[in-house]
Amino acid sequence: MNVTQVLESTLSPDAATRQNAEQQLSQAADVDFSGYVTTLAQELANEQAQTHIRSAAGIALKNAFSSREFPRLQEVQEKWLQHVDPQVKKSVKDLALRTLSAGDAKAAQSAAQFIASIAAIEIPREQWPELMPALVHNVGDGADHLKQASLVTIGYICETEDTDLRDSLGQHSNAILTAVVQGARKEEANIEVRLAAVSALGDSLEFVRTNFENEGERNYIMQVICEATQSDDNRIQEGAFGCLNRIMALYYDKMRFYMEKALFGLTIMGMKSEQEDVAKLAVEFWCTVCEEEIAIEDDNAQAAAESAGEMRPYFNFARVATLEVVPVLLLLLAKQDEDAADDDYNVARAAYQCLQLYAQAVGSAVIPPVLAFVEQNLRHEDWHNRDAAVSAFGAVMEGPDDKMLDPLVKQALPVLIGMMDDKVVQVKDSAAYALGRICESVPDSIDAHTHLPHLISSLFTGLSTNPKMAASCCWALMNLADRFAGEPGTAQNPLSKHFQDSVTHVLQLTEQNDTDNQLRTAAYEVLNAFVANAAIDSLPIVAKLSDVILQRLENTIPMQSQVVGVEDRITLEEMQTSLTSVLLSIIQRLEGEIQPQADRIMHVLLALLQSVGPKSSVPDTVFAAVGGLANALDEAFAKYMESFAPPLYSALGNQDEPALCSMAIGLVSDIVRALGELSQPYCDTIMNYLLNNLRSTTLSNQFKPAILQCFGDIAQSISGHFETYLSVVSQVLQQAATVTASPIGTYEMLEYVVSLREGIMDAWGGIVLAMKASGKSKQSARSVTRAPDLASLTLGRVAAELLRPYVEAIFQFLNSVWLDTNRSESLLRSSLGVIGDLADAFPNGDYANFYRADWISHMIKEARTNRDAQPRTIDTARTTSVILSDSTRGPVVDMMASYRIQLRGSKSEVDKYPAKQHAGSVARYLGASRGLVYLRGDWISNYRDSDRPRPFRQRRYFFYMTGVDEPGCHLTYDLRTQHLQLYIPPVTPDTVIWNGPMLSLDEARRRYDVDDVSPVQCLRNDVQAWLHHNREASLYVLHPDQSPPMFEFGGRGTALASQRVDSKQLQAAMDKARVRKSPHEIQLIRRANEITAAAHRAVLGAVGRMKNEMEIQAAFVDACISRGAKHQAYEVIAASGENASTLHYVKNDEPLRGRRLVCLDAGCEWNCYASDVTRTFPLRGWSTEAKAIYTIVDEMQRSCVERVKPGVRLLDLHVMAHKIAIAGLLRLGLLHNGTAEEILEARTSMFFYPHGLSHHLGLECHDVYTSELLGRKEVEQCPVGPTSDQHSPLAWDPQVLEESMVITVEPGIYFSRYAYEHVYAQSSTHTKYINRDVLEQYWAVGGVRIEDDILVTHDGYENLTTAPKGSEMTDLIEEGRDCSQKVGQRAGQGTGGSGSFIVDG
């Protein structure tokens, strides 16, 4: 190989010649790496060779040691370390160092880059120790060109991103500083040397932290840099200000002295420099100051909130300098260049960026100087000043207090809208951008009636005026659309009045032949935003728009054969892309209503795919539209698969166009999720393509996570049919799980490994769900009139058995994920999802030993306690915890009751119900030192006139003192000896034969926290004996008819003994004890809430497919029972539409069609302890009326909950809730003709809110409370207390809250026709205040109630209820409607790449 000729060819302008030369070099490196680097090093050092040849040799050497792919980089580094002879290495390095001394500057620069590449390998391994001393020596004693080259080399070494090299450079900091500071001094006569030194100093600042800690060394460094800012050479000034920027970012805490002494003045003077590059860097210094202080404030606020960590030093540099820096920035804003391109970064744009940051850093302090500048220049004759004034106002919209900005914005809006007619396009463009900033940052200052019409009109006029304004007007209009969109599914929004005109304007503008292409693209983006934010009343316009867009798309297809030049083709394809994007927005907004247009849409999309050529961007957007259509149509999309499958397969196999292949992989996920099992006929081909792509060496690694995720989607869609692919895919997943990031890996590699693991976890999640669900789906298809046979009952188990060979590998992978701290929240969430899915797939505790591992508990705890975690992550952790609790017969985390008892002879610590603790509490409240408490449990009885037994429900007072949920039991408690005795019925053969095993004496002693257990036959004699030996003590019973059996049937001495029976004091004492919950009781209520929350989530995820209220009830009860909660705390209330106005509606048998809302009030029991949770949610998006009422009730609840703490009266919270309701109803016009105080006093608000705010919760849903705290007279005097003819479903309870109470907070607003017509319409007082006309619009709402269970803590409260509400609730409904919900939420979408999982292929 003629090396000179080959190197010459690498610089050829001809691509083929250049590629051939590069291939020759690559082959030479592969054949003989040592000889290759030696030859190139010799050519680099050859002073007889031409400059460009030497430079090319240096570049080839550098490239030999560089690679963007980490595995390739590892490979070449390993070659150098292991396969190159030490003498060869020394020779090559010596040649490179010798080249630095050559007079050829370009060759020396190439050598510097090569030296830096070798340094990255050897310095972290403590090799080449002579390098840094040699470079320092060169700077101190070498000729000027050698000094310069050596400093450049140091700069290249220091700017590395290699983690290990960066860590190693700290030990060379003295050598580095010696060289660069020596070269950067003002005494250095050679400008080029000084410039190289200042540049290297900027690169090395991160590695000289030790030196910077030394005050003397720091002072000298700062002196050298400050002197460099005053150099006569602009390049040195630029480098010096760059150093100051870097120092401020790295060493803010050390800068106070230097700011006061020099930097304030130097940087302000620098900003005023006539040299634009110098001025920009000086401006950027203050950008850095602001960014640092914003970050410090955030960090300190977080540290204060968490009461953890030290506060970072904060010097308020920006605020102190506001009046000096901001005026200079404002003047620089006026230095616009009218010929500047959009991406040009000049001093005016730097000043604008800095002013934005300044506003965020100092807040309202920036307003006075900016406002003065705006007022002075807004009407200036020079357009530069007008433009600067408009820009300045827009720049400060984020940071200052909204209350300060609001009047200014309202005053400025008409002026800014007027400036959209300025004669200079730059001013108009800045005005449009400022309006966009207002829409983005202070949207509430824009009045829909006063400002919106003029604002929309001016922006659309601007959009069509000049292409230069297109981007700003487009951005402002899109922000405007987002601002006034309202809640998803709203019936009407402020855009509705302007929607038709806006659409017409865009269509007219885009139809004109002379419209600039950039302008047309921007206009279609605006149309996208308006369609996406259209209210329900605008959907007919959106539907008509689909005709126009489809017609335009159809018209573009013949044009493909008519275009000649490249420019024309680009223009046409941009138009097709824009139109298809609008079509996608229409599909997504209309959802299922797009069905009538579906045939036409697919026809035109297929025609587009057939007409465009290779390397076109159009198919990407077409595939996105197809995915949107599949999501909208669900299974109805199946009719198009036969015609769409060929282009889909083609794209999946098109590895030459990675972007298209990636889109196709994502589209597969969309289609299979939409079609479900109907996608199965296409899966063989799809799976083959996906597996081929995994093996590909052409596609990048980034495809692999998306493909693995796609496997999970396919599995979940085709359910048991995935068994065909299970063996191959499991091998792929297990091989992928072995990929790890090396300790010396790059950030990209670490990110890739996380993404890959997310894909693996998504795949396993889908597979587990598929195998688990396959049996269930087959069983549910059976006739409900037939009893299931053994085969159908075991289908689910058989499907799950297919997973068994892989369970251990899955847990090994989960454990490796936990042990690696390099994990994302998405990965943690999906890992927890897989754990929960596995536990659910094997519900009999098959793998309980895995679930009891400490690392799983830690994983769940980390997710649940992370304050920054997304709600769905916390939700997944809670769900998994509940499932594991069921699977392992004991909760994994968060079940830390403080009352724990050690069983004798047991190797494990077991939670028992704290019966003796409760008995002691009752004794304290009784206030008697002697006596016997007697309680009887309930027994099984038949329905009247039937031999069918009623469901057994234990008496709650008995359970409180025993924890026994068995029929026919009794207890006694001796107050003096504190002996708690349980009596249980005898075991009889008939009972065991008919009903199963009974509780034995030994089992009862092990299970319950009592002193002893006896047969019930012993009760009579034991009580008589106690009465005989305790003649002065009382026998305490709940009620006169609940005395021991001996009193019921008579006997010797019973008449005398009955006089000692006290039936008045025990219930009051037990009520006092029960009001404040023990830690164990709190945990039981918490568990009931967890299961209830999971059941609410199950309903939300499925309600989009339900047709009747009874399905809601069934889904809720099913979710509870499947988690071990067999009983409901009360009858489920699943009230849709106007049924929600009935407070205790339990019929639950009406269809959901035509109903907008459902009020679901439902809660399960766990070990006899209740939960009570209500959620009100929309079935198909919020109507305007429903959303308004929900917002008021949400405010009522939040305000009341926030005030819960010991010492607060429930009655005060109840009254406050009424006041909030009245204020909200007045705003809506439902109440009128009076003040809030008058309406409260008239009790009119009780039509809307007729019940109490709260009740106690515990063993009963409406748990006990102490009568003497009720304060009935106080309640009756309350204007919104109950009247004699009202029966509240809740306790009207003014008692003071105490720590450890558990209460509900459940405000509501209802619209009862019956209540209005038969009660309130009969009263002139009430009809005066209730607006009947407005009320008519709200009947369909029915009622909105939100209820949570609240624990009163020592200093506030804890909300025990975790059921979703608000946006999280509606998101679950939407996800359920899309059939995409599962326990492990999907990780972020990847761009999708099994065969071999070698990382680079």
Side-chain angles (χ1 to χ4, degrees):
M1 178 181 72
N2 186 327
V3 67
T4 304
Q5 184 179 345
V6 173
L7 290 173
E8 181 86 48
S9 298
T10 62
L11 305 174
S12 171
D14 180 68
T17 303
R18 192 168 60 252
Q19 290 172 3
N20 182 54
E22 290 168 353
Q23 188 174 3
Q24 288 186 63
L25 289 176
S26 178
Q27 290 173 348
D30 290 339
V31 172
D32 180 9
F33 187 70
S34 293
Y36 176 72
V37 294
T38 301
T39 301
L40 290 178
Q42 289 170 346
E43 196 65 22
L44 174 65
N46 183 4
E47 297 189 14
Q48 306 303 315
Q50 294 178 294
T51 295
H52 67 280
I53 298 297
R54 298 179 71 183
S55 181
I59 293 171
L61 276 169
K62 177 183 75 73
N63 291 342
F65 293 90
S66 308
S67 178
R68 294 182 181 179
E69 292 283 343
F70 177 74
R72 171 64 181 163
L73 179 62
Q74 251 187 332
E75 181 185 336
V76 297
Q77 289 181 344
E78 198 65 23
K79 279 186 180 180
W80 175 260
L81 291 169
Q82 303 295 334
H83 303 297
V84 178
D85 184 82
Q87 289 302 318
V88 173
K89 282 194 275 189
K90 183 178 185 308
S91 172
V92 168
K93 292 186 290 187
D94 289 345
L95 287 169
L97 286 172
R98 194 176 76 194
T99 307
L100 295 180
S101 62
D104 190 328
K106 288 187 177 181
Q109 185 176 17
S110 295
Q113 291 175 310
F114 170 54
I115 291 169
S117 297
I118 299 300
I121 302 172
E122 297 201 346
I123 288 180
R125 295 168 175 82
E126 298 184 358
Q127 299 176 13
W128 210 357
E130 64 273 17
L131 173 62
M132 297 310 295
L135 295 175
V136 173
H137 177 268
N138 291 347
V139 174
D141 298 330
D144 286 347
H145 66 272
L146 179 56
K147 288 182 180 179
Q148 181 184 352
S150 299
L151 288 165
V152 169
T153 304
I154 293 172
Y156 282 139
I157 293 172
C158 291
E159 70 179 10
T160 180
E161 294 183 4
D162 185 281
T163 306
D164 288 339
L165 178 56
R166 295 167 76 89
D167 292 341
S168 301
L169 286 175
Q171 61 185 314
H172 298 283
S173 60
N174 288 330
I176 292 171
L177 269 182
T178 300
V180 298
V181 172
Q182 182 176 346
R185 295 176 306 161
K186 64 181 180 180
E187 290 78 12
E188 175 57 58
N190 188 299
I191 295 298
E192 299 302 325
V193 170
R194 192 180 182 195
L195 177 61
V198 170
S199 177
L201 179 56
D203 291 326
S204 66
L205 285 167
E206 185 175 348
F207 313 112
V208 296
R209 184 170 296 275
T210 303
N211 306 83
F212 232 82
E213 293 293 331
N214 182 291
E215 183 179 359
E217 293 186 48
R218 183 172 67 247
N219 287 342
Y220 186 58
I221 295 170
M222 292 301 296
Q223 177 185 338
V224 169
I225 295 172
C226 289
E227 288 172 350
T229 64
Q230 305 304 298
S231 170
D232 294 333
D233 189 283
N234 296 329
R235 298 172 300 165
I236 294 176
Q237 288 186 42
E238 293 168 25
F241 280 115
C243 287
L244 291 179
N245 290 348
R246 189 75 174 134
I247 288 171
M248 180 57 71
L250 291 169
Y251 306 109
Y252 173 93
D253 59 318
K254 301 288 191 299
M255 287 297 103
R256 188 170 187 172
F257 171 79
Y258 307 105
M259 288 293 284
E260 293 172 355
K261 295 297 182 182
L263 300 187
F264 275 119
L266 286 177
T267 53
I268 290 173
M269 184 165 52
M271 289 195 293
K272 296 178 181 179
S273 172
E274 293 300 320
Q275 297 298 322
E276 184 174 60
D277 288 338
V278 173
K280 282 193 298 186
L281 284 162
V283 169
E284 287 173 11
F285 173 83
W286 285 102
C287 289
T288 304
V289 170
C290 293
E291 287 170 342
E292 281 300 303
E293 296 196 329
I294 292 168
I296 291 170
E297 281 196 289
D298 289 343
D299 291 347
N300 287 349
Q302 184 174 353
E306 296 176 354
S307 301
E310 295 183 3
M311 294 291 198
R312 294 177 59 190
Y314 180 63
F315 302 125
N316 259 321
F317 293 146
R319 189 177 298 276
V320 170
T322 299
L323 296 181
E324 286 76 29
V325 174
V326 171
V328 179
L329 295 174
L330 295 169
L331 292 175
L332 292 176
L333 285 176
K335 291 192 172 185
Q336 305 94 324
D337 180 358
E338 59 187 314
D339 297 322
D342 289 341
D343 56 352
D344 285 352
Y345 182 66
N346 53 37
V347 70
R349 288 175 180 167
Y352 182 86
Q353 178 186 2
C354 189
L355 189 58
Q356 280 184 303
L357 289 168
Y358 230 101
Q360 295 170 42
V362 306
S364 300
V366 81
I367 294 296
V370 170
L371 201 59
F373 180 82
V374 171
E375 290 173 348
Q376 183 179 354
N377 290 279
L378 199 59
R379 305 294 184 189
H380 202 282
E381 292 182 1
D382 188 335
W383 73 264
H384 292 85
N385 293 62
R386 293 199 305 277
D387 185 73
V390 173
S391 298
F393 189 80
V396 298
M397 288 298 101
E398 182 182 357
D401 188 88
D402 286 351
K403 293 179 180 178
M404 172 176 275
L405 288 175
D406 183 67
L408 299 177
V409 169
K410 288 177 177 174
Q411 183 181 356
L413 271 170
V415 178
L416 290 172
I417 292 171
M419 295 194 77
M420 292 290 292
D421 295 325
D422 196 279
K423 59 186 179 182
V424 179
V425 69
Q426 283 84 357
V427 178
K428 292 194 286 188
D429 183 42
S430 295
Y433 196 80
L435 290 170
R437 287 276 294 168
I438 291 171
C439 296
E440 179 188 45
S441 301
V442 281
D444 292 338
S445 298
I446 303 172
D447 184 80
H449 302 291
T450 307
H451 303 129
L452 186 58
H454 304 294
L455 187 53
I456 288 182
S457 175
S458 65
L459 289 171
F460 272 116
T461 301
L463 186 62
S464 57
T465 299
N466 192 304
K468 186 175 179 62
M469 297 174 59
S472 296
C473 290
C474 175
W475 183 65
L477 283 165
M478 288 191 290
N479 284 340
L480 199 65
D482 290 339
R483 155 65 178 92
F484 289 105
E487 290 294 328
T490 185
Q492 186 181 38
N493 62 29
L495 295 175
S496 297
K497 296 179 182 178
H498 312 283
F499 196 85
Q500 180 65 70
D501 290 342
S502 300
V503 170
T504 302
H505 197 119
V506 173
L507 291 176
Q508 290 173 348
L509 177 63
T510 53
E511 194 174 26
Q512 296 169 9
N513 291 329
D514 60 345
T515 299
D516 179 83
N517 195 43
Q518 179 184 358
L519 176 57
R520 181 183 287 108
T521 301
Y524 278 128
E525 289 177 2
V526 171
L527 190 55
N528 272 339
F530 271 72
V531 168
N533 292 296
I536 292 174
D537 63 351
S538 299
L539 293 188
I541 302 172
V542 175
K544 290 180 180 178
L545 177 63
S546 66
D547 280 321
V548 178
I549 299 302
L550 283 169
Q551 183 61 57
R552 291 190 179 185
L553 266 174
E554 289 164 349
N555 293 340
T556 66
I557 293 172
M559 297 181 187
Q560 283 285 357
S561 60
Q562 300 170 12
V563 295
V564 180
V566 174
E567 297 259 345
D568 290 343
R569 184 171 299 280
I570 291 173
T571 300
L572 175 61
E573 291 189 353
E574 285 180 353
M575 185 189 305
Q576 289 176 328
T577 299
S578 295
L579 287 166
T580 309
S581 296
V582 176
L583 181 60
L584 172 59
S585 293
I586 293 171
I587 293 169
Q588 291 172 333
R589 188 65 192 89
L590 293 180
E591 296 179 318
E593 302 300 319
I594 198 66
Q595 175 79 52
Q597 292 276 39
D599 288 355
R600 187 180 178 191
I601 290 172
M602 279 305 296
H603 182 269
V604 73
L605 293 178
L606 287 168
L608 280 171
L609 290 175
Q610 293 168 2
S611 64
V612 297
K615 308 296 183 182
S616 169
S617 62
V618 175
D620 293 2
T621 318
V622 170
F623 276 19
V626 172
L629 189 63
N631 289 331
L633 299 181
D634 289 331
E635 293 183 350
F637 186 79
K639 63 185 287 190
Y640 306 114
M641 276 304 294
E642 186 174 348
S643 55
F644 182 66
L648 176 62
Y649 296 155
S650 175
L652 282 172
N654 190 352
Q655 297 184 9
D656 293 332
E657 295 186 56
L660 181 61
C661 185
S662 172
M663 283 295 299
I665 292 167
L667 182 54
V668 167
S669 289
D670 289 338
I671 290 175
V672 298
R673 285 199 298 261
L675 296 185
E677 291 200 356
L678 294 178
S679 62
Q680 194 267 332
Y682 307 96
C683 286
D684 279 356
T685 307
I686 289 172
M687 288 295 295
N688 280 330
Y689 276 113
L690 293 177
L691 289 168
N692 285 334
N693 287 341
L694 277 177
R695 299 185 188 99
S696 170
T697 57
T698 302
L699 298 175
S700 75
N701 284 327
Q702 303 309 317
F703 279 69
K704 293 176 181 177
I707 294 174
L708 299 184
Q709 181 185 357
C710 196
F711 288 157
D713 290 328
I714 293 171
Q716 197 171 352
S717 299
I718 65 174
S719 196
H721 297 294
F722 196 79
E723 180 184 350
T724 305
Y725 318 114
L726 180 58
S727 176
V728 172
V729 171
S730 63
Q731 290 177 28
V732 169
L733 297 178
Q734 290 177 65
Q735 189 177 6
T738 63
V739 176
T740 58
S742 166
I744 60 171
T746 62
Y747 172 78
E748 288 76 13
M749 183 60 187
L750 295 174
E751 195 175 47
Y752 165 68
V753 169
V754 171
S755 179
L756 182 66
R757 289 175 172 176
E758 289 172 353
I760 298 169
M761 214 63 79
D762 276 347
W764 278 126
I767 292 169
V768 173
L769 288 173
M771 296 298 103
K772 181 183 70 173
S774 60
K776 293 180 182 178
S777 62
K778 293 174 184 175
Q779 183 177 335
S780 65
R782 300 175 58 85
S783 168
V784 295
T785 62
R786 293 174 53 196
D789 56 24
L790 181 61
S792 66
L793 289 173
T794 57
L795 277 172
R797 293 182 184 175
V798 171
E801 285 299 314
L802 296 172
L803 289 171
R804 197 174 292 279
Y806 313 110
V807 170
E808 187 172 350
I810 295 173
F811 273 98
Q812 287 175 355
F813 176 56
L814 285 163
N815 184 239
S816 67
V817 168
W818 171 250
L819 293 175
D820 190 344
T821 56
N822 178 42
R823 58 177 178 270
S824 65
E825 183 182 339
S826 296
L827 179 55
L828 179 64
R829 180 172 61 247
S830 54
S831 299
L832 290 169
V834 169
I835 293 170
D837 290 338
L838 281 170
D840 207 23
F842 297 95
N844 297 324
D846 304 46
Y847 297 100
N849 57 319
F850 285 136
Y851 305 134
R852 293 193 183 101
D854 288 343
W855 63 268
I856 290 185
S857 301
H858 295 323
M859 183 184 285
I860 294 173
K861 184 176 181 181
E862 178 178 302
R864 293 188 64 173
T865 58
N866 183 0
R867 295 188 178 190
D868 297 325
Q870 298 177 24
R872 58 181 180 153
T873 301
I874 298 171
D875 186 49
T876 300
R878 285 171 176 156
T879 303
T880 300
S881 179
V882 170
I883 295 172
L884 295 193
S885 297
D886 299 338
S887 180
T888 58
R889 298 181 179 271
V892 177
V893 291
D894 286 349
M895 295 295 287
M896 301 183 296
S898 61
Y899 193 85
R900 303 176 72 90
I901 297 157
Q902 182 71 34
L903 292 181
R904 290 192 182 98
S906 173
K907 293 183 179 179
S908 62
E909 198 178 46
V910 181
D911 281 317
K912 280 189 179 181
Y913 186 85
K916 294 193 68 176
Q917 180 190 27
H918 290 176
S921 297
V922 173
R924 285 195 298 275
Y925 285 114
L926 265 176
S929 59
R930 297 180 63 189
L932 186 71
V933 173
Y934 165 76
L935 291 173
R936 65 169 58 172
D938 211 344
W939 57 84
I940 296 176
S941 62
N942 293 341
Y943 289 105
R944 183 169 294 183
D945 303 323
S946 172
D947 66 348
R948 179 182 165 202
R950 300 174 187 271
F952 172 72
R953 187 176 191 272
Q954 186 61 279
R955 286 175 173 163
R956 276 5 192 192
Y957 287 102
F958 180 83
F959 187 90
Y960 181 74
M961 285 186 62
T962 63
V964 176
D965 194 20
E966 300 283 345
C969 299
H970 305 254
L971 78 82
T972 60
Y973 181 65
D974 190 321
L975 298 178
R976 182 178 63 83
T977 63
Q978 300 179 13
H979 183 89
L980 184 62
Q981 179 78 31
L982 175 66
Y983 298 89
I984 64 174
V987 177
T988 64
D990 283 353
T991 306
V992 173
I993 291 170
W994 284 96
N995 299 330
M998 296 180 64
L999 183 67
S1000 69
L1001 295 174
D1002 288 340
E1003 185 180 1
R1005 292 186 185 103
R1006 287 196 304 271
R1007 188 185 300 179
Y1008 302 116
D1009 179 28
V1010 296
D1011 292 301
D1012 200 4
V1013 184
S1014 299
V1016 73
Q1017 295 93 325
C1018 300
L1019 174 65
R1020 184 187 186 98
N1021 291 335
D1022 287 354
V1023 173
Q1024 285 180 334
W1026 186 90
L1027 289 169
H1028 177 73
H1029 293 291
N1030 297 274
R1031 297 180 183 276
E1032 303 301 322
S1034 296
L1035 177 67
Y1036 294 98
V1037 298
L1038 277 178
H1039 306 292
D1041 62 349
Q1042 291 190 11
S1043 297
M1046 57 180 287
F1047 291 94
E1048 296 176 7
F1049 302 106
R1052 189 177 64 182
T1054 56
L1056 183 62
S1058 64
Q1059 298 176 13
R1060 294 161 56 189
V1061 174
D1062 185 330
S1063 61
K1064 296 181 179 179
Q1065 297 189 64
L1066 180 59
Q1067 184 175 5
M1070 292 196 74
D1071 287 349
K1072 290 178 181 178
R1074 283 176 58 181
V1075 162
R1076 297 184 66 175
K1077 305 299 186 284
S1078 66
H1080 191 99
E1081 291 181 286
I1082 291 168
Q1083 291 306 117
L1084 294 176
I1085 297 172
R1086 191 192 307 278
R1087 180 69 185 285
N1089 263 279
E1090 288 177 341
I1091 297 173
T1092 292
H1096 274 274
R1097 285 190 290 272
V1099 170
L1100 293 171
V1103 74
R1105 302 186 291 278
M1106 295 180 182
K1107 296 182 172 61
N1108 193 286
E1109 293 168 339
M1110 65 180 69
E1111 294 181 63
I1112 296 176
Q1113 178 176 355
F1116 186 89
V1117 174
D1118 173 72
C1120 293
I1121 292 176
S1122 67
R1123 290 166 172 80
K1126 293 177 60 177
H1127 303 294
Q1128 297 296 299
Y1130 50 94
E1131 285 194 81
V1132 173
I1133 299 171
S1136 64
E1138 291 194 40
N1139 293 338
S1141 66
T1142 301
L1143 300 179
H1144 281 181
Y1145 171 87
V1146 294
K1147 287 174 60 180
N1148 304 337
D1149 60 358
E1150 294 193 13
L1152 299 177
R1153 181 180 292 277
R1155 309 284 172 86
R1156 300 295 304 194
L1157 283 186
V1158 170
C1159 178
L1160 177 58
D1161 187 341
C1164 73
E1165 285 182 0
W1166 180 257
N1167 287 5
C1168 295
Y1169 278 80
S1171 60
D1172 189 0
V1173 177
T1174 307
R1175 293 293 182 260
T1176 307
F1177 49 84
L1179 288 171
R1180 282 169 296 279
W1182 292 106
S1183 67
T1184 302
E1185 294 79 12
K1187 183 60 179 177
I1189 298 303
Y1190 186 91
T1191 301
I1192 296 172
V1193 176
D1194 182 54
E1195 182 185 358
M1196 294 163 70
Q1197 200 211 28
R1198 281 189 294 102
S1199 299
C1200 292
V1201 169
E1202 288 169 358
R1203 287 166 174 78
V1204 169
K1205 63 180 179 180
V1208 171
R1209 295 195 318 164
L1210 283 176
L1211 182 61
D1212 293 338
L1213 297 181
H1214 172 73
V1215 173
M1216 183 182 73
H1218 265 274
K1219 290 179 178 179
I1220 295 171
I1222 292 169
L1225 296 170
L1226 281 168
R1227 287 196 302 271
L1228 296 178
L1230 281 159
L1231 292 173
H1232 65 170
N1233 295 335
T1235 65
E1237 292 75 16
E1238 292 168 341
I1239 294 169
L1240 182 71
E1241 192 63 32
R1243 307 168 70 90
T1244 304
S1245 61
M1246 291 188 66
F1247 163 63
F1248 299 100
Y1249 179 20
H1251 59 73
L1253 174 72
S1254 177
H1255 59 78
H1256 289 275
L1257 186 74
L1259 282 166
E1260 300 283 359
C1261 173
H1262 294 174
D1263 208 23
V1264 298
Y1265 50 89
T1266 51
S1267 57
E1268 65 268 22
L1269 292 177
L1270 183 59
R1272 189 74 185 182
K1273 180 179 179 182
E1274 206 175 353
V1275 175
E1276 290 172 350
Q1277 293 174 351
C1278 172
V1280 287
T1283 59
S1284 59
D1285 60 343
Q1286 289 177 317
H1287 300 281
S1288 168
L1290 307 178
W1292 298 83
D1293 189 349
Q1295 75 177 78
V1296 173
L1297 295 177
E1298 301 175 37
E1299 182 181 355
S1300 299
M1301 288 180 174
V1302 178
I1303 61 170
T1304 64
V1305 177
E1306 52 174 312
I1309 292 178
Y1310 309 88
F1311 300 92
S1312 170
R1313 290 182 188 269
Y1314 182 90
Y1316 182 79
E1317 293 168 0
H1318 291 81
V1319 180
Y1320 288 85
Q1322 310 303 318
S1323 166
S1324 59
T1325 300
H1326 296 313
T1327 55
K1328 170 186 174 183
Y1329 296 127
I1330 298 175
N1331 189 335
R1332 178 60 189 263
D1333 293 336
V1334 177
L1335 183 61
E1336 287 295 327
Q1337 303 171 31
Y1338 284 83
W1339 293 125
V1341 173
V1344 173
R1345 180 164 66 251
I1346 308 174
E1347 179 180 18
D1348 287 345
D1349 302 340
I1350 308 299
L1351 168 65
V1352 184
T1353 62
H1354 74 283
D1355 59 354
Y1357 70 92
E1358 177 189 348
N1359 192 334
L1360 301 177
T1361 300
T1362 58
K1365 52 186 170 182
S1367 60
E1368 184 185 358
M1369 174 178 71
T1370 53
D1371 287 347
L1372 281 172
I1373 295 172
E1374 291 305 313
E1375 290 175 12
R1377 185 172 287 116
D1378 295 338
C1379 302
S1380 61
Q1381 184 184 9
K1382 65 176 185 177
V1383 174
Q1385 295 289 347
R1386 287 273 167 244
Q1389 294 292 323
T1391 56
S1394 152
S1396 173
F1397 252 88
I1398 298 171
V1399 180
D1400 62 349

